[in-house]
Amino acid sequence: MTSSPQSTPLGNLTTVELIWIEKRVEHRIRFGRPSHETIIDKQRRVVGFAPGSVFAFVRWAANDFGTVVSRIDIVRAALPAEPYQTLPYIRPGGEILLKVAGWDKVEQVLQRIDTIEAAPDYWRQTHNRLVAGATPRAYSLDQHRAFLLRKRATS
């Protein structure tokens, strides 16, 4: 089954493979608006994001002994002919705004997502501080206003 409320050609979409196998594997989108979805079966589907859109991709996996993977990536879908970075389950790739592994760090990011979803500047600084072992700075209302003004000026 395929649904497609799209205005973007499918070839320009960044696709993400989502998987859910109870108590074993969970790949999900935490935020972002897919413009296309293909359901493969009860456990798998593929969603597509328009160029320039920002989304959070959460991956978790476990085996008989506990969690083996816990990570979150915040990605901006690549524009056509733009260079991009590759990530598992994301094709062709995108600009990685934040890449975090390990439940303690993933949990910190998930707590912040409720406040700030699609602000690339915040995710870049959060990524850099977590990689350096520092605590991410709070995101102020003034920073968010500045982000929205920049976004409006470049649109």
Side-chain angles (χ1 to χ4, degrees):
M1 175 196 302
T2 301
S3 69
S4 182
Q6 72 199 46
S7 60
T8 305
L10 291 178
N12 289 336
L13 296 179
T14 296
T15 61
V16 183
E17 183 180 353
L18 304 178
I19 303 169
W20 182 78
I21 302 170
E22 189 172 0
K23 298 181 182 179
R24 290 294 182 175
V25 178
E26 184 178 332
H27 295 182
R28 65 184 174 97
I29 298 299
R30 175 51 185 83
F31 71 77
R33 291 200 169 141
S35 58
H36 180 81
E37 178 180 36
T38 301
I39 297 171
I40 298 169
D41 57 34
K42 287 177 72 173
Q43 297 175 324
R44 297 176 302 146
R45 61 191 175 109
V46 175
V47 294
F49 291 91
S53 59
V54 176
F55 60 92
F57 179 45
V58 179
R59 287 186 282 154
W60 171 88
N63 62 21
D64 292 338
F65 303 102
T67 299
V68 293
V69 172
S70 181
R71 67 174 303 125
I72 185 168
D73 299 292
I74 298 181
V75 179
R76 186 182 61 79
L79 300 170
E82 178 181 57
Y84 55 83
Q85 298 156 298
T86 59
L87 285 160
Y89 307 99
I90 298 177
R91 293 188 185 45
E95 178 186 5
I96 300 170
L97 303 175
L98 178 137
K99 181 175 165 180
V100 171
W103 176 245
D104 56 335
K105 291 179 182 178
V106 169
E107 186 176 34
Q108 289 180 50
V109 171
L110 290 172
Q111 290 169 353
R112 285 168 170 76
I113 283 175
D114 291 334
T115 307
I116 314 124
E117 288 194 352
D121 296 346
Y122 179 74
W123 295 119
R124 286 184 194 103
Q125 79 88 5
T126 298
H127 167 83
N128 293 337
R129 293 189 63 84
L130 287 170
V131 167
T135 301
R137 292 187 182 120
Y139 188 66
S140 71
L141 185 55
D142 288 339
Q143 286 174 298
H144 192 61
R145 284 184 187 136
F147 162 72
L148 293 174
L149 287 171
R150 278 193 310 277
K151 185 176 178 182
R152 206 173 318 144
T154 60
S155 297

